[in-house]
Amino acid sequence: MLLVGPGRRRGIVSLPIVVAVAACLTMIVVPVSAPRTAAQARFAALPLQSPAPAGNPATPERVALGRLLFWDPILSGQRDVACATCHHPDFGYSDGLDLSIGTNGAGLGAARTFVPGQPARLVKRNSQTVLNVAFNGLTSGADAAPAAAPMFWDLRVRSLEAQALEPIKALEEMRGDAYPEHRAVPSAVARLNAIAGYRELFARAFGGNRPVNEQNLGRALAAFQRTLIAVNSPFDRYMRGDTNALSPEELRGMERFESTGCVNCHSGPMFSDFAVHVLAVPDNQKLPESDSGVNKAYGFRTPSLRNLTATAPYMHNGVFSSLPEVIQFYQRVSRGGGRRGGQGGPRGLNAQVGPDQIDPLARRLNMRGRGQGDLIAFLRALDDPGFDRTVPERVPSGLSVGGTLVR
C-alpha cells in the first residue's frame, strides 16, 4: 500500500543552493509508552533521524544537489521526465496513478497522459512513495542498514544509492528510445558534466578531480531522498508517550489491526517486514501480460502502510483505488477467494495463483465481524502531512522543473 496531507506549499529554491538539513539530522529524545499487548511490542514510532551509510553522509551540499537532480529532466533520455514526475509531493511523493506514465507523457496525476504520436509504454508497477524510504529495512527485529536497504516491489536492488540509478536505465520510466540501457547512466552523467552549474555543485558536494560521475549521481539523489521523512503521525506521537494522540476509534482500529493478523506482515516502525509474500492480487488489465513478480511466483514485497491517504491507488499494480477495496480483497483471500480471474478485475483473485500458493499468513487473516471503519481510522493515523514539499524554482539544465507536468 502506498500520500499527501491537506494543503500544498510551493517553496522557492534558487541557485546556488544549500539546503539546511540539521532538523532532519537531529535526534530528539522522547518518552516511549509501554505497549499494551505482546503483539503491539512489534509496533514502534519511527526514529527522528534517518540513517545514512558511512560512505555517503547527508551533508547540506549533497542534499541540495540531490534535490535539483530529483527535479531535473536532464536525467531522462528525452529530457521529458524527472524523478519527481512519478514521485511528486502533491501525491505524497507518489503519482496518483495505478501504473505510472514516465517518458512520452505529459501532465500530473490523473491528468497525465501519453503525448499523441509517441510510443505509449506504461510502467508495469505502481509508483511507491519515497517518503520514509530512508528507513527501508527497519523492522521490529532489525535496525536499518542503509547500504543493504531493500528497494522496489521485487527487492531487485539494495540501498538508495543503487535504486536511484535504476529508473534512468528503464525504458518505460526515464530512458525511452534515446539510447540502449547500458548507455543510459553514462549519457546522463555526460549531460551533467556539460553544465557548468552542475560541475560546480558536484565539486562542492564531493570534491575530487572528476566529481561528476555515476557513483556521486546515485549518492546525491540518495542523500536528498533520505531527508524526505514523515515521522510525526498521530501514531508516532502516541508511541512516544502522548496518550491523547489517538482517538478511541483509532485505538480500536489498532487493536483490530492486531487481532486480524495484519501485524504479522505489517509490523515494526515502517509497518512492513520487507519480505516477499504471495497474495493473488488480480492483474491490472492495462498490462499486456501478467506480472508474475519475484521468481515468477507472484510474490511482492510488503509495502509500508505509512502515509496512505494520498498515495492511492494501492497494491503493486494499483488495482485498488481505496482502502475499503483493499480490506475487501483481504476478506476474499481469508475466505478462500470467491470469484477468481487473472484478468477478472479487482473483484476476484488472480487465477494464475493457486489457493495453496497464497501465503498462509494471508489465508489465516481474521477479517470477519465489524470494525472495518476503526481499522481504516487507524491506518489514517499513520499519516504525517508535515513533510518537505519544496519545489525548486529552476534547475541547472534550464529545462522544465519536474519534466512535462503541464499539458
Side-chain angles (χ1 to χ4, degrees), residues 93-133:
Y93 287 93
S94 181
D95 64 4
L97 299 173
D98 54 349
L99 301 172
S100 297
I101 296 175
T103 188
N104 297 331
L108 179 63
R112 187 166 178 81
T113 58
F114 287 106
V115 175
Q118 298 293 320
R121 303 186 184 103
L122 284 170
V123 178
K124 73 177 182 179
R125 291 176 185 158
N126 180 261
S127 174
Q128 296 192 68
T129 178
V130 294
L131 279 175
N132 292 324
V133 72

Side-chain angles (χ1 to χ4, degrees), residues 74-79 168-169 171 174-189 191:
I74 194 68
L75 299 182
S76 63
Q78 294 162 200
R79 298 174 173 85
I168 299 173
K169 305 174 188 176
L171 174 69
M174 298 180 74
R175 174 165 61 90
D177 297 309
Y179 27 64
E181 181 177 346
H182 73 278
R183 291 296 308 158
V185 177
S187 296
V189 169
R191 291 179 180 181

Side-chain angles (χ1 to χ4, degrees), residues 356-392:
D356 293 340
Q357 294 173 270
I358 298 175
D359 196 297
L361 292 173
R363 297 202 306 266
R364 290 198 296 265
L365 288 170
N366 178 15
M367 304 296 291
R368 296 181 295 274
R370 299 180 179 180
Q372 307 308 334
D374 294 341
L375 181 56
I376 290 174
F378 172 63
L379 293 175
R380 289 176 174 157
L382 305 180
D383 292 350
D384 173 12
F387 52 82
D388 182 3
R389 302 166 191 260
T390 305
V391 179

